[in-house]
Amino acid sequence: MTDTANQDRVLIFDTTLRDGEQSPGATMTHDEKLEIAQTLDEMGVDIIEAGFPIASEGDFAAVRAISELVKNAAVCGLSRSSFKDIDRAAEALKPARRPRIHTFISTSPLHMKYKLQMDPEAVIEAIAASVGHARKFTDDVQWSPEDGTRTEHDFLCRAVETAIKAGATTINIPDTVGYTAPNESAEIIRMLKERVPGIDEVTIATHCHNDLGMAVANALAAVEAGARQIECTINGLGERAGNAALEEVVMAMRVRNDILPYRTGIDTTRIMQASRLVSTATGFPVQYNKAIVGKNAFAHESGIHQDGMLKHAGTYEIMRPEDVGLSETSLVMGKHSGRAALRAKLGELGFELGDNQLKDVFVRFKELADRKKEIFEDDLLALMRDTASDAEHDRIQVKRLRVICGTEGPQSAELTLEIDGRETAGEATGDGPVDAAFNAVKALFPHHARLQLYQVHAVTEGTDAQATVSVRMEENGKIVTGQSADTDTVVASTRAYVNALNKLLVRREKSAPESLKDVS
Ligand code: KIV
Ligand code: ZN
Protein backbone atom coordinates (compact mmCIF):
# COMPACT_ATOMS: atom_id res chain seq x y z
CA MET A 1 0.00 0.00 0.00
CA THR A 2 1.34 3.46 -0.82
CA ASP A 3 2.49 5.13 2.37
CA THR A 4 1.87 8.87 2.06
CA ALA A 5 4.80 9.67 4.36
CA ASN A 6 6.99 7.68 2.00
CA GLN A 7 5.94 8.99 -1.38
CA ASP A 8 9.48 8.87 -2.73
CA ARG A 9 10.19 5.25 -1.69
CA VAL A 10 10.22 2.81 -4.60
CA LEU A 11 9.93 -0.89 -3.78
CA ILE A 12 12.31 -3.22 -5.59
CA PHE A 13 10.69 -6.48 -6.66
CA ASP A 14 13.32 -8.87 -7.96
CA THR A 15 12.18 -11.58 -10.37
CA THR A 16 15.58 -13.07 -11.29
CA LEU A 17 14.51 -16.42 -9.89
CA ARG A 18 11.20 -16.46 -11.79
CA ASP A 19 11.17 -14.35 -14.98
CA GLY A 20 14.98 -14.50 -15.11
CA GLU A 21 15.02 -18.25 -14.86
CA GLN A 22 12.51 -18.48 -17.72
CA SER A 23 15.26 -17.18 -19.99
CA PRO A 24 16.24 -20.04 -22.35
CA GLY A 25 19.28 -21.81 -20.91
CA ALA A 26 19.32 -19.90 -17.60
CA THR A 27 18.38 -22.81 -15.38
CA MET A 28 19.77 -22.64 -11.85
CA THR A 29 20.20 -25.42 -9.36
CA HIS A 30 18.26 -25.46 -6.09
CA ASP A 31 21.34 -24.40 -4.08
CA GLU A 32 22.17 -21.62 -6.50
CA LYS A 33 18.64 -20.26 -6.14
CA LEU A 34 18.96 -20.23 -2.36
CA GLU A 35 22.29 -18.44 -2.52
CA ILE A 36 20.86 -15.81 -4.85
CA ALA A 37 17.78 -15.34 -2.64
CA GLN A 38 20.01 -14.89 0.40
CA THR A 39 22.05 -12.24 -1.42
CA LEU A 40 18.94 -10.41 -2.63
CA ASP A 41 17.57 -10.38 0.90
CA GLU A 42 20.82 -9.08 2.34
CA MET A 43 21.14 -6.34 -0.25
CA GLY A 44 17.71 -4.96 0.63
CA VAL A 45 15.37 -6.21 -2.11
CA ASP A 46 11.79 -5.65 -0.87
CA ILE A 47 10.07 -8.55 -2.62
CA ILE A 48 11.73 -11.67 -4.05
CA GLU A 49 9.70 -13.51 -6.67
CA ALA A 50 11.09 -16.96 -5.95
CA GLY A 51 9.40 -19.02 -8.67
CA PHE A 52 6.24 -20.42 -10.18
CA PRO A 53 5.32 -23.25 -7.81
CA ILE A 54 2.95 -25.15 -10.10
CA ALA A 55 5.46 -25.21 -12.95
CA SER A 56 7.49 -28.11 -11.56
CA GLU A 57 8.48 -29.93 -8.39
CA GLY A 58 11.79 -28.07 -8.58
CA ASP A 59 10.08 -24.66 -8.64
CA PHE A 60 7.84 -25.64 -5.74
CA ALA A 61 10.80 -26.84 -3.67
CA ALA A 62 12.76 -23.65 -4.41
CA VAL A 63 9.88 -21.35 -3.38
CA ARG A 64 9.37 -23.42 -0.23
CA ALA A 65 13.05 -23.35 0.74
CA ILE A 66 13.40 -19.63 -0.03
CA SER A 67 10.32 -18.96 2.12
CA GLU A 68 12.08 -20.70 4.99
CA LEU A 69 15.36 -18.87 4.40
CA VAL A 70 14.49 -15.25 3.75
CA LYS A 71 14.44 -12.96 6.79
CA ASN A 72 13.43 -9.51 5.59
CA ALA A 73 11.97 -9.49 2.10
CA ALA A 74 8.46 -10.60 1.18
CA VAL A 75 8.61 -13.87 -0.77
CA CYS A 76 6.36 -14.11 -3.79
CA GLY A 77 5.09 -17.08 -5.79
CA LEU A 78 3.55 -16.73 -9.25
CA SER A 79 0.28 -18.36 -10.28
CA ARG A 80 -2.11 -18.22 -13.19
CA SER A 81 -5.74 -17.57 -12.33
CA SER A 82 -6.76 -21.17 -11.65
CA PHE A 83 -7.42 -22.16 -8.04
CA LYS A 84 -5.04 -25.10 -8.47
CA ASP A 85 -2.16 -22.74 -9.29
CA ILE A 86 -3.03 -20.44 -6.39
CA ASP A 87 -3.32 -23.33 -3.91
CA ARG A 88 0.09 -24.61 -4.99
CA ALA A 89 1.64 -21.15 -4.58
CA ALA A 90 0.05 -20.75 -1.14
CA GLU A 91 1.35 -24.16 -0.08
CA ALA A 92 4.91 -23.33 -1.19
CA LEU A 93 4.81 -19.96 0.57
CA LYS A 94 3.54 -21.34 3.89
CA PRO A 95 6.83 -20.92 5.81
CA ALA A 96 7.38 -17.33 4.58
CA ARG A 97 7.27 -14.53 7.13
CA ARG A 98 5.77 -12.25 4.49
CA PRO A 99 4.11 -14.37 1.77
CA ARG A 100 2.85 -12.72 -1.41
CA ILE A 101 0.77 -14.45 -4.08
CA HIS A 102 1.12 -12.98 -7.57
CA THR A 103 -1.70 -14.02 -9.87
CA PHE A 104 -2.11 -12.95 -13.48
CA ILE A 105 -4.25 -13.35 -16.58
CA SER A 106 -3.99 -11.88 -20.07
CA THR A 107 -6.14 -8.87 -20.88
CA SER A 108 -5.10 -7.75 -24.39
CA PRO A 109 -7.50 -8.54 -27.25
CA LEU A 110 -4.85 -10.68 -28.96
CA HIS A 111 -4.06 -12.76 -25.89
CA MET A 112 -7.70 -13.19 -24.82
CA LYS A 113 -8.80 -14.31 -28.27
CA TYR A 114 -5.90 -16.56 -29.33
CA LYS A 115 -4.05 -17.59 -26.21
CA LEU A 116 -6.81 -17.86 -23.62
CA GLN A 117 -9.73 -18.29 -26.03
CA MET A 118 -11.88 -16.54 -23.45
CA ASP A 119 -14.24 -13.63 -23.92
CA PRO A 120 -13.63 -10.43 -21.91
CA GLU A 121 -16.52 -11.12 -19.49
CA ALA A 122 -15.06 -14.49 -18.59
CA VAL A 123 -11.68 -12.83 -17.99
CA ILE A 124 -13.28 -10.30 -15.62
CA GLU A 125 -14.93 -13.17 -13.71
CA ALA A 126 -11.61 -15.02 -13.52
CA ILE A 127 -9.89 -11.91 -12.10
CA ALA A 128 -12.45 -11.51 -9.32
CA ALA A 129 -12.41 -15.21 -8.47
CA SER A 130 -8.61 -15.64 -8.55
CA VAL A 131 -7.77 -12.56 -6.48
CA GLY A 132 -10.54 -13.40 -4.00
CA HIS A 133 -9.23 -16.95 -3.69
CA ALA A 134 -5.63 -15.77 -3.18
CA ARG A 135 -6.77 -13.43 -0.40
CA LYS A 136 -7.92 -16.46 1.59
CA PHE A 137 -4.22 -17.34 2.09
CA THR A 138 -2.54 -13.95 2.52
CA ASP A 139 -3.44 -10.28 2.69
CA ASP A 140 -0.56 -9.49 0.29
CA VAL A 141 -1.90 -10.25 -3.20
CA GLN A 142 -0.46 -8.89 -6.42
CA TRP A 143 -2.42 -9.00 -9.65
CA SER A 144 -1.10 -8.50 -13.20
CA PRO A 145 -2.89 -8.05 -16.53
CA GLU A 146 -0.54 -9.92 -18.85
CA ASP A 147 0.21 -7.94 -22.03
CA GLY A 148 -1.11 -4.94 -20.08
CA THR A 149 0.49 -2.31 -22.29
CA ARG A 150 -1.37 -3.67 -25.35
CA THR A 151 -4.70 -3.82 -23.53
CA GLU A 152 -7.55 -1.46 -24.47
CA HIS A 153 -7.66 1.29 -21.86
CA ASP A 154 -11.35 0.95 -20.94
CA PHE A 155 -10.94 -2.77 -20.41
CA LEU A 156 -7.67 -2.31 -18.49
CA CYS A 157 -9.42 0.11 -16.09
CA ARG A 158 -12.27 -2.33 -15.60
CA ALA A 159 -9.92 -5.25 -14.99
CA VAL A 160 -7.79 -3.30 -12.50
CA GLU A 161 -10.89 -2.07 -10.67
CA THR A 162 -12.16 -5.66 -10.44
CA ALA A 163 -8.84 -6.85 -9.00
CA ILE A 164 -8.78 -4.06 -6.41
CA LYS A 165 -12.37 -4.76 -5.36
CA ALA A 166 -11.51 -8.45 -4.98
CA GLY A 167 -8.66 -7.57 -2.62
CA ALA A 168 -5.46 -7.05 -4.66
CA THR A 169 -2.96 -4.87 -2.77
CA THR A 170 -0.48 -4.43 -5.63
CA ILE A 171 -1.44 -3.85 -9.25
CA ASN A 172 1.38 -4.62 -11.64
CA ILE A 173 1.31 -3.42 -15.24
CA PRO A 174 3.47 -5.69 -17.40
CA ASP A 175 4.90 -4.69 -20.74
CA THR A 176 5.04 -8.40 -21.53
CA VAL A 177 6.40 -8.11 -25.05
CA GLY A 178 8.65 -5.08 -24.53
CA TYR A 179 6.53 -2.94 -26.85
CA THR A 180 5.90 0.28 -24.97
CA ALA A 181 7.94 3.50 -24.88
CA PRO A 182 8.59 5.85 -21.94
CA ASN A 183 5.84 8.38 -22.65
CA GLU A 184 3.25 5.64 -23.16
CA SER A 185 4.43 3.73 -20.08
CA ALA A 186 3.89 6.88 -17.99
CA GLU A 187 0.58 7.66 -19.70
CA ILE A 188 -0.90 4.27 -18.76
CA ILE A 189 -0.04 4.75 -15.08
CA ARG A 190 -1.46 8.31 -15.09
CA MET A 191 -4.60 7.07 -16.79
CA LEU A 192 -5.12 4.35 -14.18
CA LYS A 193 -4.55 6.84 -11.36
CA GLU A 194 -7.14 9.17 -12.82
CA ARG A 195 -9.80 6.66 -13.73
CA VAL A 196 -9.75 3.65 -11.40
CA PRO A 197 -11.60 3.93 -8.08
CA GLY A 198 -9.47 2.70 -5.18
CA ILE A 199 -6.17 2.89 -7.08
CA ASP A 200 -4.64 5.22 -4.45
CA GLU A 201 -5.09 2.50 -1.83
CA VAL A 202 -2.81 0.03 -3.64
CA THR A 203 0.78 -0.01 -4.83
CA ILE A 204 1.20 0.32 -8.58
CA ALA A 205 4.05 -1.72 -10.05
CA THR A 206 5.78 -1.69 -13.44
CA HIS A 207 7.22 -4.80 -15.15
CA CYS A 208 9.09 -4.00 -18.35
CA HIS A 209 10.73 -6.27 -20.89
CA ASN A 210 13.65 -5.08 -22.98
CA ASP A 211 12.77 -6.13 -26.54
CA LEU A 212 13.30 -2.60 -27.85
CA GLY A 213 16.01 -1.74 -25.35
CA MET A 214 13.69 0.56 -23.37
CA ALA A 215 12.87 -1.52 -20.27
CA VAL A 216 14.77 0.67 -17.80
CA ALA A 217 13.53 3.93 -19.35
CA ASN A 218 9.96 2.60 -19.36
CA ALA A 219 10.17 1.53 -15.71
CA LEU A 220 11.55 4.91 -14.62
CA ALA A 221 8.88 6.75 -16.62
CA ALA A 222 6.21 4.67 -14.86
CA VAL A 223 7.69 5.68 -11.50
CA GLU A 224 7.59 9.35 -12.46
CA ALA A 225 3.90 8.87 -13.23
CA GLY A 226 3.15 7.26 -9.86
CA ALA A 227 4.27 3.62 -9.87
CA ARG A 228 6.04 2.74 -6.62
CA GLN A 229 7.30 -0.77 -7.33
CA ILE A 230 9.76 -1.74 -10.05
CA GLU A 231 10.00 -5.36 -11.16
CA CYS A 232 13.49 -6.13 -12.32
CA THR A 233 16.25 -8.72 -12.47
CA ILE A 234 19.97 -8.86 -11.80
CA ASN A 235 21.93 -8.30 -15.03
CA GLY A 236 18.59 -7.73 -16.78
CA LEU A 237 18.13 -11.48 -17.11
CA GLY A 238 14.73 -12.59 -18.41
CA GLU A 239 12.59 -13.85 -21.26
CA ARG A 240 13.97 -12.96 -24.73
CA ALA A 241 15.86 -9.62 -24.39
CA GLY A 242 15.32 -9.69 -20.63
CA ASN A 243 13.73 -7.47 -17.98
CA ALA A 244 14.67 -4.05 -16.62
CA ALA A 245 18.04 -4.49 -14.89
CA LEU A 246 17.92 -3.98 -11.12
CA GLU A 247 21.38 -2.41 -11.03
CA GLU A 248 20.42 0.12 -13.70
CA VAL A 249 17.12 1.31 -12.22
CA VAL A 250 18.62 1.54 -8.74
CA MET A 251 21.76 3.41 -9.81
CA ALA A 252 19.78 5.73 -12.12
CA MET A 253 17.63 6.85 -9.18
CA ARG A 254 20.69 7.23 -6.99
CA VAL A 255 23.01 9.04 -9.40
CA ARG A 256 20.28 11.26 -10.91
CA ASN A 257 18.37 11.84 -7.70
CA ASP A 258 18.14 15.50 -8.69
CA ILE A 259 15.71 14.63 -11.47
CA LEU A 260 14.56 11.18 -10.24
CA PRO A 261 13.93 12.01 -6.57
CA TYR A 262 13.16 8.48 -5.37
CA ARG A 263 14.73 6.13 -2.82
CA THR A 264 15.15 2.40 -2.70
CA GLY A 265 16.29 0.20 0.18
CA ILE A 266 19.13 -1.35 -1.85
CA ASP A 267 22.68 -1.49 -0.52
CA THR A 268 24.33 -0.69 -3.84
CA THR A 269 27.73 -1.96 -2.69
CA ARG A 270 26.34 -5.50 -3.05
CA ILE A 271 25.49 -5.05 -6.73
CA MET A 272 28.68 -6.52 -8.23
CA GLN A 273 28.48 -9.54 -5.96
CA ALA A 274 24.89 -10.23 -7.00
CA SER A 275 25.76 -9.74 -10.65
CA ARG A 276 28.66 -12.22 -10.50
CA LEU A 277 26.60 -14.72 -8.58
CA VAL A 278 23.80 -14.69 -11.15
CA SER A 279 26.23 -14.84 -14.06
CA THR A 280 28.03 -17.80 -12.49
CA ALA A 281 24.83 -19.66 -11.67
CA THR A 282 23.24 -19.22 -15.09
CA GLY A 283 26.38 -19.41 -17.20
CA PHE A 284 25.29 -16.16 -18.90
CA PRO A 285 28.32 -13.89 -19.22
CA VAL A 286 27.75 -10.17 -18.58
CA GLN A 287 28.40 -8.21 -21.75
CA TYR A 288 31.64 -6.17 -21.44
CA ASN A 289 29.98 -2.81 -22.01
CA LYS A 290 26.86 -3.53 -19.89
CA ALA A 291 25.88 -0.49 -17.79
CA ILE A 292 26.96 -0.64 -14.12
CA VAL A 293 28.22 -4.26 -14.01
CA GLY A 294 30.07 -4.77 -17.31
CA LYS A 295 33.82 -5.38 -17.21
CA ASN A 296 34.40 -2.06 -19.02
CA ALA A 297 31.79 -0.02 -17.13
CA PHE A 298 34.50 1.76 -15.14
CA ALA A 299 37.48 1.23 -17.46
CA HIS A 300 39.08 4.23 -19.16
CA GLU A 301 41.15 3.36 -22.18
CA SER A 302 41.62 6.53 -24.19
CA GLY A 303 44.53 8.83 -23.31
CA ILE A 304 42.28 11.89 -23.05
CA HIS A 305 39.97 10.16 -20.58
CA GLN A 306 42.84 8.76 -18.53
CA ASP A 307 44.42 12.20 -18.33
CA GLY A 308 41.13 13.73 -17.19
CA MET A 309 40.61 10.98 -14.61
CA LEU A 310 44.04 11.55 -13.11
CA LYS A 311 43.27 15.24 -12.67
CA HIS A 312 39.75 14.69 -11.26
CA ALA A 313 37.75 11.44 -11.24
CA GLY A 314 34.54 13.39 -11.81
CA THR A 315 35.66 14.39 -15.30
CA TYR A 316 34.57 11.09 -16.78
CA GLU A 317 33.04 9.19 -13.87
CA ILE A 318 29.44 9.78 -12.76
CA MET A 319 29.61 7.19 -9.97
CA ARG A 320 32.44 5.58 -8.07
CA PRO A 321 33.29 1.91 -8.68
CA GLU A 322 33.10 1.29 -4.93
CA ASP A 323 29.45 2.51 -4.90
CA VAL A 324 28.53 -0.69 -6.74
CA GLY A 325 30.99 -2.87 -4.82
CA LEU A 326 33.84 -2.92 -7.28
CA SER A 327 37.20 -2.95 -5.54
CA GLU A 328 40.11 -1.10 -7.13
CA THR A 329 42.65 -3.90 -7.34
CA SER A 330 42.68 -6.92 -9.49
CA LEU A 331 45.11 -8.52 -7.06
CA VAL A 332 47.28 -11.15 -8.57
CA MET A 333 47.77 -14.46 -6.80
CA GLY A 334 50.30 -17.15 -7.52
CA LYS A 335 51.21 -20.69 -6.64
CA HIS A 336 52.60 -19.62 -3.27
CA SER A 337 49.37 -18.01 -2.14
CA GLY A 338 47.78 -19.85 0.76
CA ARG A 339 44.27 -20.94 1.60
CA ALA A 340 43.56 -17.88 3.79
CA ALA A 341 44.55 -15.50 1.00
CA LEU A 342 42.32 -17.39 -1.42
CA ARG A 343 39.39 -17.28 1.00
CA ALA A 344 39.89 -13.52 1.51
CA LYS A 345 40.09 -12.83 -2.22
CA LEU A 346 37.03 -14.92 -2.99
CA GLY A 347 35.20 -13.15 -0.17
CA GLU A 348 36.00 -9.81 -1.85
CA LEU A 349 34.57 -11.20 -5.07
CA GLY A 350 31.38 -12.15 -3.25
CA PHE A 351 31.90 -15.87 -2.67
CA GLU A 352 31.59 -16.96 0.95
CA LEU A 353 32.80 -20.56 1.05
CA GLY A 354 32.39 -23.20 3.70
CA ASP A 355 35.49 -25.19 4.70
CA ASN A 356 34.76 -28.17 2.44
CA GLN A 357 34.00 -26.02 -0.55
CA LEU A 358 37.16 -24.00 0.05
CA LYS A 359 39.18 -27.21 0.16
CA ASP A 360 37.92 -28.24 -3.30
CA VAL A 361 38.42 -24.79 -4.79
CA PHE A 362 41.93 -24.60 -3.29
CA VAL A 363 42.93 -27.86 -5.01
CA ARG A 364 41.71 -26.51 -8.36
CA PHE A 365 43.42 -23.18 -7.67
CA LYS A 366 46.75 -24.93 -7.04
CA GLU A 367 46.39 -26.98 -10.22
CA LEU A 368 45.77 -23.81 -12.15
CA ALA A 369 48.64 -21.96 -10.46
CA ASP A 370 50.99 -24.77 -11.50
CA ARG A 371 50.09 -24.18 -15.12
CA LYS A 372 49.71 -20.43 -15.10
CA LYS A 373 52.21 -17.98 -13.57
CA GLU A 374 49.81 -15.29 -12.40
CA ILE A 375 46.21 -15.73 -11.35
CA PHE A 376 43.96 -12.70 -11.87
CA GLU A 377 40.49 -11.97 -10.49
CA ASP A 378 38.99 -13.10 -13.77
CA ASP A 379 40.78 -16.44 -13.44
CA LEU A 380 39.23 -16.92 -10.00
CA LEU A 381 35.79 -16.03 -11.34
CA ALA A 382 36.23 -18.59 -14.13
CA LEU A 383 37.35 -21.14 -11.58
CA MET A 384 34.29 -20.48 -9.44
CA ARG A 385 32.00 -20.74 -12.45
CA ASP A 386 33.58 -24.07 -13.23
CA THR A 387 33.38 -25.35 -9.65
CA ALA A 388 29.72 -24.34 -9.52
CA SER A 389 28.93 -27.12 -11.99
CA ASP A 390 28.72 -29.53 -9.02
CA ALA A 391 30.79 -32.25 -10.74
CA GLU A 392 30.65 -34.55 -7.73
CA HIS A 393 26.90 -35.09 -8.21
CA ASP A 394 26.96 -35.13 -11.99
CA ARG A 395 25.90 -38.39 -13.62
CA ILE A 396 28.50 -38.02 -16.38
CA GLN A 397 32.06 -37.04 -15.57
CA VAL A 398 35.13 -36.55 -17.75
CA LYS A 399 37.95 -38.76 -16.44
CA ARG A 400 40.63 -38.68 -19.17
CA LEU A 401 41.03 -37.07 -22.55
CA ARG A 402 43.79 -37.28 -25.17
CA VAL A 403 43.53 -35.64 -28.53
CA ILE A 404 45.70 -35.86 -31.61
CA CYS A 405 45.52 -32.81 -33.82
CA GLY A 406 47.60 -30.92 -36.33
CA THR A 407 47.85 -30.33 -40.06
CA GLU A 408 47.28 -34.00 -40.95
CA GLY A 409 43.66 -35.02 -40.33
CA PRO A 410 41.48 -36.55 -39.26
CA GLN A 411 41.88 -35.33 -35.71
CA SER A 412 41.02 -37.91 -33.08
CA ALA A 413 40.09 -38.08 -29.40
CA GLU A 414 40.43 -40.88 -26.85
CA LEU A 415 38.05 -40.29 -23.99
CA THR A 416 37.13 -41.96 -20.72
CA LEU A 417 33.86 -40.96 -19.10
CA GLU A 418 32.33 -42.10 -15.84
CA ILE A 419 28.61 -42.59 -16.38
CA ASP A 420 26.49 -43.32 -13.31
CA GLY A 421 29.60 -44.52 -11.46
CA ARG A 422 31.00 -46.78 -14.23
CA GLU A 423 34.00 -45.93 -16.36
CA THR A 424 33.68 -46.36 -20.09
CA ALA A 425 36.25 -45.49 -22.76
CA GLY A 426 36.15 -44.93 -26.50
CA GLU A 427 37.55 -42.90 -29.36
CA ALA A 428 36.27 -40.86 -32.26
CA THR A 429 37.55 -38.70 -35.09
CA GLY A 430 36.27 -35.31 -36.14
CA ASP A 431 36.76 -32.14 -38.04
CA GLY A 432 39.22 -30.63 -35.56
CA PRO A 433 40.02 -31.66 -31.98
CA VAL A 434 36.88 -30.22 -30.39
CA ASP A 435 34.63 -31.94 -32.90
CA ALA A 436 36.51 -35.22 -32.30
CA ALA A 437 36.10 -34.87 -28.51
CA PHE A 438 32.38 -34.08 -28.84
CA ASN A 439 31.94 -37.09 -31.15
CA ALA A 440 33.66 -39.25 -28.53
CA VAL A 441 31.20 -38.03 -25.86
CA LYS A 442 28.32 -38.83 -28.19
CA ALA A 443 29.69 -42.31 -28.89
CA LEU A 444 29.93 -43.06 -25.17
CA PHE A 445 26.66 -41.36 -24.22
CA PRO A 446 24.32 -41.42 -27.24
CA HIS A 447 21.73 -38.62 -27.20
CA HIS A 448 19.64 -36.46 -29.52
CA ALA A 449 20.36 -33.07 -27.99
CA ARG A 450 21.31 -30.43 -30.56
CA LEU A 451 24.31 -28.15 -30.13
CA GLN A 452 23.01 -24.58 -30.53
CA LEU A 453 26.02 -22.54 -29.51
CA TYR A 454 29.70 -23.12 -28.88
CA GLN A 455 31.64 -20.14 -27.57
CA VAL A 456 35.23 -19.74 -26.35
CA HIS A 457 36.63 -16.74 -24.44
CA ALA A 458 40.18 -16.20 -23.26
CA VAL A 459 39.81 -15.17 -19.60
CA THR A 460 43.00 -13.11 -19.50
CA GLU A 461 45.83 -12.25 -21.86
CA GLY A 462 48.82 -14.45 -22.75
CA THR A 463 49.17 -17.86 -24.33
CA ASP A 464 48.76 -19.58 -20.93
CA ALA A 465 45.33 -17.94 -20.45
CA GLN A 466 42.39 -20.06 -19.37
CA ALA A 467 39.64 -20.54 -21.91
CA THR A 468 36.06 -20.38 -20.71
CA VAL A 469 33.79 -22.37 -22.93
CA SER A 470 29.99 -22.11 -23.09
CA VAL A 471 27.98 -24.78 -24.81
CA ARG A 472 24.24 -24.33 -25.33
CA MET A 473 22.19 -27.45 -26.12
CA GLU A 474 18.55 -28.08 -26.89
CA GLU A 475 16.43 -31.19 -26.46
CA ASN A 476 12.65 -31.21 -27.01
CA GLY A 477 12.44 -27.46 -26.50
CA LYS A 478 14.49 -27.49 -23.30
CA ILE A 479 17.62 -25.39 -23.50
CA VAL A 480 20.61 -25.60 -21.16
CA THR A 481 24.02 -23.97 -21.04
CA GLY A 482 27.14 -25.84 -19.94
CA GLN A 483 30.33 -24.09 -18.94
CA SER A 484 33.89 -24.91 -18.08
CA ALA A 485 37.29 -23.25 -17.88
CA ASP A 486 40.76 -24.67 -18.38
CA THR A 487 44.11 -23.66 -19.82
CA ASP A 488 43.51 -26.47 -22.35
CA THR A 489 40.72 -25.34 -24.67
CA VAL A 490 39.77 -28.90 -25.73
CA VAL A 491 39.50 -30.06 -22.11
CA ALA A 492 37.36 -27.01 -21.25
CA SER A 493 35.16 -27.66 -24.31
CA THR A 494 34.62 -31.33 -23.46
CA ARG A 495 33.80 -30.53 -19.84
CA ALA A 496 31.40 -27.77 -20.90
CA TYR A 497 29.66 -30.18 -23.27
CA VAL A 498 29.35 -32.80 -20.54
CA ASN A 499 28.17 -30.12 -18.08
CA ALA A 500 25.35 -29.23 -20.49
CA LEU A 501 24.41 -32.90 -20.85
CA ASN A 502 24.23 -33.26 -17.06
CA LYS A 503 21.92 -30.26 -16.87
CA LEU A 504 19.72 -31.78 -19.57
CA LEU A 505 19.47 -34.97 -17.53
CA VAL A 506 18.29 -32.91 -14.55
CA ARG A 507 15.78 -31.08 -16.77
CA ARG A 508 14.43 -34.41 -18.08
CA GLU A 509 13.66 -35.38 -14.49
CA LYS A 510 11.97 -32.07 -13.69
CA SER A 511 9.94 -31.51 -16.87
CA ALA A 512 7.38 -28.70 -16.75
CA PRO A 513 3.81 -29.31 -17.95
CA GLU A 514 3.35 -28.33 -21.63
CA SER A 515 0.60 -25.83 -20.78
CA LEU A 516 3.00 -23.60 -18.86
CA LYS A 517 5.28 -22.84 -21.76
CA ASP A 518 3.67 -19.57 -22.80
CA VAL A 519 4.09 -17.73 -19.51
CA SER A 520 6.37 -14.72 -19.93
O1 KIV B 1 5.92 -10.31 -18.58
C1 KIV B 1 4.88 -10.66 -17.98
O2 KIV B 1 3.76 -10.37 -18.39
C2 KIV B 1 5.04 -11.46 -16.77
C3 KIV B 1 3.81 -11.63 -15.94
C4 KIV B 1 3.66 -13.01 -15.45
C5 KIV B 1 3.80 -10.61 -14.84
O3 KIV B 1 6.12 -11.88 -16.44
ZN1 ZN C 1 7.76 -10.86 -17.55
Side-chain angles (χ1 to χ4, degrees), residues 404-437:
I404 299 173
C405 62
T407 50
E408 309 299 317
Q411 286 73 23
S412 63
E414 292 168 24
L415 176 68
T416 305
L417 292 181
E418 187 181 295
I419 304 175
D420 291 330
R422 289 186 49 190
E423 282 202 5
T424 162
E427 55 180 286
T429 55
D431 196 3
V434 173
D435 193 43

Side-chain angles (χ1 to χ4, degrees), residues 18-19 78 102 104 144 146-147 172 174 176 207 209 519-520:
R18 198 279 297 168
D19 214 325
L78 183 69
H102 176 192
F104 73 98
S144 296
E146 193 186 5
D147 207 16
N172 174 41
T176 304
H207 175 111
H209 279 270
V519 176
S520 58

Side-chain angles (χ1 to χ4, degrees), residues 6-20:
N6 263 315
Q7 282 299 344
D8 61 344
R9 174 73 158 87
V10 172
L11 299 172
I12 296 296
F13 176 110
D14 181 280
T15 182
T16 307
L17 298 170
R18 198 279 297 168
D19 214 325

Side-chain angles (χ1 to χ4, degrees), residues 30-53:
H30 185 81
D31 290 349
E32 286 164 347
K33 288 182 186 177
L34 294 196
E35 202 180 341
I36 291 170
Q38 173 94 37
T39 300
L40 295 174
D41 194 29
E42 286 170 6
M43 75 192 279
V45 163
D46 298 286
I47 306 110
I48 299 172
E49 189 162 51
F52 188 10

Side-chain angles (χ1 to χ4, degrees), residues 288 295-296 301 372-376 378-379 457-467 487:
Y288 278 17
K295 194 178 158 103
N296 288 355
E301 181 75 24
K372 197 170 181 292
K373 275 198 302 288
E374 293 168 319
I375 310 279
F376 296 90
D378 285 340
D379 285 313
H457 282 295
V459 172
T460 54
E461 276 139 36
T463 48
D464 66 349
Q466 288 194 89
T487 49

Side-chain angles (χ1 to χ4, degrees), residues 312-375:
H312 191 290
T315 49
Y316 287 102
E317 211 164 65
I318 57 167
M319 54 199 153
R320 296 172 313 159
E322 50 273 33
D323 293 343
V324 298
L326 199 64
S327 59
E328 275 276 295
T329 69
S330 72
L331 182 125
V332 183
M333 303 187 80
K335 67 180 191 186
H336 300 298
S337 306
R339 205 178 289 207
L342 179 66
R343 188 196 285 266
K345 188 68 210 167
L346 288 174
E348 257 177 54
L349 293 174
F351 298 97
E352 299 301 336
L353 304 190
D355 287 344
N356 282 343
Q357 225 185 340
L358 182 67
K359 213 165 118 195
D360 292 348
V361 174
F362 191 63
V363 171
R364 311 258 339 246
F365 165 72
K366 283 287 176 187
E367 279 167 13
L368 181 63
D370 275 340
R371 282 180 282 151
K372 197 170 181 292
K373 275 198 302 288
E374 293 168 319
I375 310 279

Side-chain angles (χ1 to χ4, degrees), residues 60 79 82-92 101 133 137:
F60 180 89
S79 73
S82 84
F83 285 12
K84 224 169 121 195
D85 272 46
I86 295 166
D87 293 348
R88 194 81 178 132
E91 183 63 27
I101 296 177
H133 188 63
F137 301 101

Side-chain angles (χ1 to χ4, degrees), residues 82 155-157 178 186 188 282 312 335 382-383 394 402 456 486 511:
S82 84
F155 189 67
L156 185 62
C157 289
I188 291 172
T282 55
H312 191 290
K335 67 180 191 186
L383 192 79
D394 284 348
R402 231 171 94 87
V456 184
D486 200 280
S511 277

